[in-house]
Amino acid sequence: MSGEPREMTITVDGAPVRVREGATLLEALRAHGVDTPTLCFLENLTPVNACRVCVVELQGARTLVPSCSRKAEEGMVVSTDSERVRHARKLVFELLGSSVDLSNAGPEVARWSARYGADPARFGAPAPAASEGSRDHRHAGHHAAPDPAVAQTVAQPVKVDNDLFVRDYSRCILCYKCVEACGGDAQNTFAITVAGRGFDARISTEFAAPLTDSACVFCGNCIGVCPTGALVFKSEFDLREAGNWREQDQTVTRTVCTYCGVGCNLELHVQDNTIVKVTSPLDHDVTSGHLCIKGRFGFEFVQVRERE
Amino acid sequence: MDIHLSGAQATPAERAAIDALLGRPTSRWRGGDREHAADSRYAHGGQSARARRHLLLPALHAVQDAVGHVTRGAVDYIAQRLTVPPADVYGVASFYALFEMHESPPTVAHVCDDVGCLARGAGELIASLERTCGPAGSPCADGRATWKRSPCLGLCERAPAALMRRAGEGRTDATLAPATAGMVHDELHGTSAPTRVMDSVPQRGESGLRLLSRVGVVDPTSLHDYLSHGGYAALAHAFLLGPEGVVKEVTESKLMGRGGAAFPTGVKWGAVLRASALPHHVVCNADESEPGTFKDRVLMEEDPFAVIEALTVAGFATGATMGWIYIRGEYPEAHDRLAHAIAVTRREGLLGDNVMGRVGFSFDIELRKGAGAYICGEETALFNSIEGYRGEPRNKPPFPVSEGLFRLPTAINNVETLANVLEILKGGSEEYLKLGLDSSRGTKLFCVAGNVTTPGLYELPFGATLRELLALAGGIEGGRALQAVLLGGAAGSFVTAEDLDVPLTFEGTRAIGASLGSGVVLVFDDRVDMRAIVRRIARFFRDESCGQCVPCRVGTQRQEEALGRLCAGASRAGRDEALLLIDDLDRAMRDASICGLGHTAAVAVQSAIRKLNLFAVEAP
Ligand SMILES: Cc1cc2nc3c(=O)[nH]c(=O)nc-3n(C[C@H](O)[C@H](O)[C@H](O)COP(=O)(O)O)c2cc1C
Ligand code: SF4
Ligand code: SF4
Ligand code: SF4
Ligand code: FES
Ligand code: FES
């Protein structure tokens, strides 16, 4: 084994790009400055390549390949903006946009959707939301024929079963990130999983039990990785409900958690002099973005001014 | 990892069922082991118990069979015994259609409403069942039974078909085909219906058959009978050739996989034989859930020892020590035949250490049962299913030959592919190459069903035309006109009378934009409502998508909706819009899905639109 990582050359949209051995195509694209949409990919999680929005055209491959997980190989020729790539990405944004509420998914998703000309409305008006809990118990396999006049969605009532965070699965794109963060990639708690199958697949605890009856330890690491706002701090959720969530007025203060000696970096998001949520930088070498319940949620005492 | 349990208790019946599989817990520690009998000193909660995660699917079957559904208590108990988090157990269980996650009657009739049965009266059967037993899913027989709709049960030659499942002690599952509403009703009410015996293999006993030569000739429960009909001659010859020699022979025979993807078997085996990671695995893919397909079922029911021998040859050729047969959960008779054959061959030294006296060749076979998921026929989904995970396909590369079952080098083959290997070894590749056309060599099994006079499994050399095959099956029933043939199953495409002279080879079908797939030849006469057939296919993909990737998870849903609008009689603009959507979905699913299910989810729909001109605008 030699110490120096070997480099190789691939071709991206006609230009030669040097990448280190073992790098993914996505790393190569990013290093080369190609803006590539991703939804299910996160640096600190194992790629699940499920959303398919990062696909690129690889010469010689029958289908498009997911850049987030495909390893670069010497001599690969890749197109990132071919008609096939644009079509597939457009459809992914349309399919998600027509079935999931992406309104809190951030500016990038909106920008990418616009870039590829996604028009989710062309699948029809959204079907009425599912009643409380009904999506949680759909059986795998046979289903009744849908009303073809409307587009089925994942819309359903918000799950509020604890004081710390809420689960708004109408916004869930099923990117698997929360499951990975809760499981083997970070927290090792395995409180949540993907249940069901196909369009009825959903994130769930066992038998859709409330989080408070599950293995959940309320570390909030699932919130930290959720790309669409399906998992949010209760504080953020309440402010949004009240129409008073103002990201532009918030400050972010970086500090070190005071609860124990591990030294986790915290980012305190403050609005109107009140902490509204806590994150940790993905690239922080202690946390990789992950915290425990104390660092994540134990900020209430800071803002209690009076003692009765 | 800490296992958090809900506090729900498994009933004694549930515990007994799980313990019968896993062994009684020998310590008070969670995960007490079935292999280490006397253990009271250390916890098996760690690595060793987790290494038994592959027992998760069998454990869920045990509970479902015992009580008819999977309860919280049972999930907790399985979680505890295998050190798998309860959420994961639930995620896996809820993936499969044959596991009931809510209280459910012990007797369930799964009534096929898929394309082959629709062509032969399933619609009327179901309508009549709705009148006598209420709508699907509603309790009948004083709450002790219910019926449900099912995708293809692999009994299409005897359509319409039903599968009876019964939970509880002394339980048996049984197939009912051909079924009538009266028979299903009687079964639901506990009086067993008389079965009509029908031949699935019209060519039975004819000379010139190869893959079907023993069908109906040997007693499928008798190893002795199998041996006296040339059984284990192929393995003996394989021992003479050595692993490299077998791989060479199979490669030279140009044998191509019969599971649908037509990959050269010799190439696959050679790659596994050479792979450095150990141990190697071989897997027999007996999931057979492609609508219209029943060939593997017939082979397993009628010639089970051949499947065991062939998988043993595969194990020898690839340097594997372990073989697995993954059979769909809807095949109770085939399952029992295989289980019996495995037990007998093991007893007779044809499995285990030093197979058939060959010193140094140890090989054994595990039989695993699916639970109602077409996607688990996809090879990497099948691996996940055996390993105790959700049956979600993996991204490729890496390919199974380097990272397959348990991330080890694995050769996976279809039942029919394996059956061919016996022929190749017994007769030699040169002899084998004499049959067939182009690079499609040997013979092929065709699942002929629908509106033909004599539906059944037929064996013909590659190259026979569709016309010849249909003639063999007695032509269209009642001399009616042919409307369409579905070639290759739900993942295949429709052809019409103008294509009858297509040679049935991989190349020939490709040349007309169709595919041979798994050998489905499903015939529709002029009475069949093809719109209903196409909608059923769209529904099939929507029901069977694993849900992992966006193009297929949402795309199959949108395809079904768009097709629904077309069938409802959209305006011209609406029609054009829906057709455009289906086109767009097709391209995205084909290009950007993870696996073959998504890649082919629009193929049959598209061919119906184009070839059958189903949604033409009426002339003004
Ligand atoms: C959705 C899907 C379902 C499949 N189902 C089956 C099946 O039931 N049986 C089978 O042998 N192959 C099936 N396959 C093909 C397998 O992935 C694999 O190619 C095959 O088992 C290889 O064996 P062969 O080379 O002998 O054909 C399926 C593939 C896909 C994409
Ligand atoms: S808060 Fe932590 S333990 Fe609870 S579900 Fe989220 S990641 Fe899992
Ligand atoms: S809840 Fe969020 S992180 Fe989890 S799958 Fe849905 S979108 Fe992804
Ligand atoms: S294509 Fe469909 S079945 Fe295959 S992985 Fe994607 S969602 Fe699952
Ligand atoms: S980001 Fe690559 S598939 Fe989702
Ligand atoms: S058994 Fe009904 S279609 Fe195959």
Side-chain angles (χ1 to χ4, degrees):
Chain A
M1 277 241 182
S2 76
E4 278 294 290
R6 284 199 297 152
E7 284 213 336
M8 51 196 176
T9 308
I10 66 172
T11 306
V12 175
D13 299 329
V17 173
R18 293 193 61 72
V19 292
R20 73 172 170 84
E21 188 172 29
T24 60
L25 289 177
L26 183 64
E27 287 177 69
L29 298 184
R30 287 192 170 162
H32 188 57
V34 182
D35 174 30
T36 308
T38 59
L39 290 170
C40 67
F41 174 80
L42 203 62
E43 287 77 357
N44 58 357
L45 301 174
T46 315
V48 290
N49 45 70
C51 76
R52 316 304 281 182
V53 79
C54 69
V55 289
V56 296
E57 193 168 339
L58 170 65
Q59 204 174 75
R62 194 167 45 88
T63 60
L64 303 176
V65 303
S67 61
C68 63
S69 62
R70 186 60 180 260
K71 294 257 188 303
E73 290 165 38
E74 181 66 44
M76 275 182 168
V77 179
V78 166
S79 315
T80 69
D81 201 35
S82 66
E83 200 278 329
R84 283 172 70 192
V85 170
R86 276 183 276 119
H87 180 77
R89 290 181 181 177
K90 169 181 156 171
L91 263 284
V92 168
F93 282 115
E94 284 185 338
L95 290 171
L96 287 176
S98 69
S99 56
V100 184
D101 179 354
L102 295 176
S103 58
N104 288 350
E108 291 216 296
V109 169
R111 181 169 58 82
W112 288 323
S113 293
R115 186 211 285 173
Y116 294 106
D119 171 21
R122 69 191 183 113
F123 293 107
S131 62
E132 174 149 15
S134 66
R135 271 192 69 83
D136 295 337
H137 297 288
R138 292 204 184 152
H139 189 78
H142 174 80
H143 71 291
D147 174 1
V150 289
Q152 293 300 312
T153 72
V154 300
Q156 57 191 297
V158 182
K159 289 187 196 303
V160 187
D161 57 14
N162 68 84
D163 297 337
L164 301 179
F165 72 101
V166 306
R167 297 177 292 153
D168 186 358
Y169 287 133
S170 302
R171 302 179 185 276
C172 175
I173 58 168
L174 218 70
C175 70
Y176 290 60
K177 283 178 178 171
C178 54
V179 177
E180 293 201 300
C182 185
D185 276 356
Q187 186 56 32
N188 262 298
T189 293
F190 299 91
I192 48 177
T193 183
V194 180
R197 183 165 94 194
F199 193 72
D200 299 332
R202 64 240 170 217
I203 305 296
S204 183
T205 57
E206 60 275 22
F207 292 91
L211 280 178
T212 43
D213 291 347
S214 77
C216 177
V217 296
F218 296 96
C219 62
N221 289 328
C222 50
I223 312 171
V225 297
C226 181
T228 60
L231 306 175
V232 280
F233 278 68
K234 184 76 165 43
S235 43
E236 173 173 349
F237 179 77
D238 289 342
L239 283 169
R240 282 188 186 272
E241 287 288 281
N244 194 24
W245 177 258
R246 303 186 317 275
E247 213 146 309
Q248 68 285 1
D249 297 340
Q250 291 170 9
T251 59
V252 179
T253 307
R254 197 152 163 165
T255 179
V256 177
C257 181
T258 55
Y259 276 104
C260 78
V262 169
C264 297
N265 269 213
L266 304 180
E267 294 163 325
L268 307 177
H269 299 244
V270 176
Q271 175 180 316
D272 299 332
N273 220 13
T274 305
I275 301 171
V276 291
K277 74 171 173 187
V278 177
T279 55
S280 180
L282 280 192
D283 57 3
H284 180 48
D285 52 11
V286 174
T287 67
S288 296
H290 306 302
L291 296 169
C292 79
I293 184 172
K294 291 174 280 183
R296 183 80 65 183
F297 293 110
F299 54 80
E300 287 295 325
F301 77 94
V302 179
Q303 39 213 41
V304 174
R305 279 161 224 289
E306 303 147 54
R307 285 195 191 175
E308 243 117 353
Chain B
M1 177 180 55
D2 209 20
I3 299 283
H4 175 280
L5 301 173
S6 70
Q9 293 295 317
T11 63
E14 291 163 349
R15 271 171 193 270
I18 295 163
D19 289 347
L21 175 79
L22 302 178
R24 291 178 59 75
T26 48
S27 75
R28 294 200 295 122
W29 297 99
R30 65 167 66 111
D33 211 310
R34 73 164 173 177
E35 282 93 22
H36 306 91
D39 142 65
S40 54
R41 213 79 63 76
Y42 59 101
H44 277 297
Q47 208 60 38
S48 70
R50 279 203 290 283
R52 304 197 309 157
R53 181 159 178 158
H54 66 91
L55 293 169
L56 177 51
L57 194 55
L60 288 166
H61 270 300
V63 172
Q64 170 72 37
D65 290 349
V67 299
H69 52 113
V70 179
T71 62
R72 277 200 87 161
V75 162
D76 273 12
Y77 188 60
I78 293 172
Q80 196 179 18
R81 292 296 314 274
L82 296 178
T83 325
V84 175
D88 273 26
V89 177
Y90 179 76
V92 170
S94 62
F95 186 84
Y96 295 98
L98 293 184
F99 294 140
E100 299 294 338
M101 304 310 293
H102 296 277
E103 176 127 31
S104 184
T107 298
V108 183
H110 296 261
V111 180
C112 177
D113 72 346
D114 215 328
V115 285
C117 288
L118 278 184
R120 290 187 82 90
E124 294 73 26
L125 190 159
I126 283 175
S128 151
L129 211 52
E130 280 171 340
R131 282 193 302 274
T132 55
C133 301
S138 60
C140 65
D142 302 324
R144 282 178 289 110
T146 187
W147 71 280
K148 306 178 85 174
R149 288 169 181 264
S150 168
C152 175
L153 292 166
L155 295 161
C156 334
E157 85 281 16
R158 288 181 273 147
L163 168 73
M164 298 300 310
R165 300 181 78 222
R166 292 183 191 83
E169 230 169 301
R171 58 175 297 283
T172 46
D173 286 353
T175 53
L176 215 58
T180 62
M183 286 161 73
V184 175
H185 177 274
D186 288 352
E187 290 276 350
L188 289 174
H189 288 79
T191 42
S192 74
T195 43
R196 233 168 75 216
V197 183
M198 245 180 82
D199 201 349
S200 300
V201 183
Q203 292 167 306
R204 185 183 294 254
E206 282 178 20
S207 63
L209 295 180
R210 293 170 184 241
L211 306 174
L212 298 181
S213 66
R214 281 174 305 270
V215 168
V217 176
V218 300
D219 172 0
T221 63
S222 163
L223 176 61
H224 181 264
D225 225 13
Y226 179 66
L227 290 173
S228 63
H229 283 82
Y232 280 89
L235 184 62
H237 191 62
F239 287 166
L240 289 179
L241 294 176
E244 283 87 3
V246 178
V247 170
K248 185 162 169 284
E249 198 70 27
V250 172
T251 307
E252 284 171 0
S253 77
K254 297 191 180 168
L255 174 61
M256 297 218 267
R258 308 292 200 244
F263 189 84
T265 304
V267 174
K268 193 185 281 187
W269 288 16
V272 175
L273 177 62
R274 288 189 305 273
S276 51
L278 291 173
H280 298 172
H281 289 277
V282 286
V283 178
C284 170
N285 188 341
D287 194 52
E288 188 160 78
S289 306
E290 181 71 49
T293 318
F294 50 87
K295 62 192 177 71
D296 299 341
R297 191 203 82 235
V298 172
L299 289 176
M300 292 185 286
E301 283 178 0
E302 306 268 2
D303 202 8
F305 289 102
V307 179
I308 309 298
E309 182 187 355
L311 190 58
T312 310
V313 170
F316 177 71
T318 56
T321 47
M322 196 61 213
W324 303 73
I325 302 177
Y326 186 93
I327 184 171
R328 67 179 299 195
E330 294 88 342
Y331 279 179
E333 291 91 358
H335 177 274
D336 292 352
R337 288 271 161 86
L338 285 175
H340 173 77
I342 290 172
V344 171
T345 43
R346 195 179 282 145
R347 198 178 62 216
E348 298 298 323
L350 297 171
L351 287 176
D353 289 338
N354 305 326
V355 172
M356 207 161 84
R358 173 85 175 195
V359 177
F361 176 49
S362 296
F363 182 78
D364 213 328
I365 294 178
E366 278 253 356
L367 180 60
R368 286 302 165 87
K369 199 161 71 159
Y374 166 62
I375 190 58
C376 288
E378 196 282 338
E379 51 198 17
T380 58
L382 187 153
F383 301 148
N384 279 340
S385 181
I386 291 182
E387 291 176 27
Y389 294 89
R390 291 165 54 80
E392 294 172 353
R394 303 173 184 164
N395 210 55
K396 289 184 266 192
F399 293 96
V401 291
S402 52
E403 283 183 39
L405 186 60
F406 302 111
R407 309 277 161 178
L408 289 162
T410 303
I412 177 166
N413 281 109
N414 173 256
V415 176
E416 183 189 350
T417 313
L418 290 171
N420 274 278
V421 170
L422 299 181
E423 295 307 306
I424 291 163
L425 288 183
K426 281 192 271 191
S429 58
E430 238 169 87
E431 191 60 29
Y432 186 84
L433 284 166
K434 285 185 187 152
L435 286 180
L437 200 65
D438 302 329
S439 56
S440 306
R441 291 289 149 180
T443 60
K444 176 79 194 88
L445 297 180
F446 294 101
C447 310
V448 184
N451 309 120
V452 290
T453 309
T454 318
L457 185 61
Y458 291 86
E459 178 177 8
L460 285 176
F462 274 109
T465 64
L466 182 53
R467 190 185 300 281
E468 287 161 356
L469 179 61
L470 294 188
L472 201 58
I476 312 298
E477 198 178 18
R480 300 196 67 96
L482 173 68
Q483 187 173 191
V485 179
L486 180 60
L487 272 191
S493 33
F494 291 97
V495 300
T496 59
E498 66 187 36
D499 304 306
L500 284 178
D501 291 311
V502 62
L504 295 170
T505 58
F506 295 118
E507 299 81 4
T509 48
R510 203 174 300 137
I512 60 162
S515 66
L516 224 44
S518 52
V520 171
V521 178
L522 189 48
V523 178
F524 302 96
D525 70 20
D526 53 356
R527 289 169 306 182
V528 177
D529 175 3
M530 293 309 291
R531 291 184 171 197
I533 296 291
V534 179
R535 279 187 88 172
R536 182 63 185 89
I537 290 176
R539 175 147 71 79
F540 176 80
F541 283 106
R542 186 273 187 208
D543 287 350
E544 300 298 331
S545 163
C546 81
Q548 191 181 192
C549 64
V550 175
C552 170
R553 177 179 76 238
V554 192
T556 53
Q557 171 74 36
R558 294 289 176 257
Q559 169 171 273
E560 191 189 9
E561 291 163 359
L563 209 54
R565 290 198 288 279
L566 285 171
C567 291
S571 66
R572 189 188 187 111
R575 181 196 81 117
D576 292 348
E577 177 67 29
L579 289 176
L580 179 69
L581 283 185
I582 290 175
D583 258 357
D584 280 358
L585 291 168
D586 181 12
R587 285 172 58 211
M589 290 195 287
R590 214 183 270 264
D591 252 357
S593 297
I594 293 178
C595 85
L597 188 149
H599 297 154
T600 57
V603 173
V605 172
Q606 286 280 42
S607 81
I609 291 170
R610 305 230 152 95
K611 198 88 196 192
L612 309 181
N613 209 10
L614 276 194
F615 303 103
V617 200
E618 275 91 60

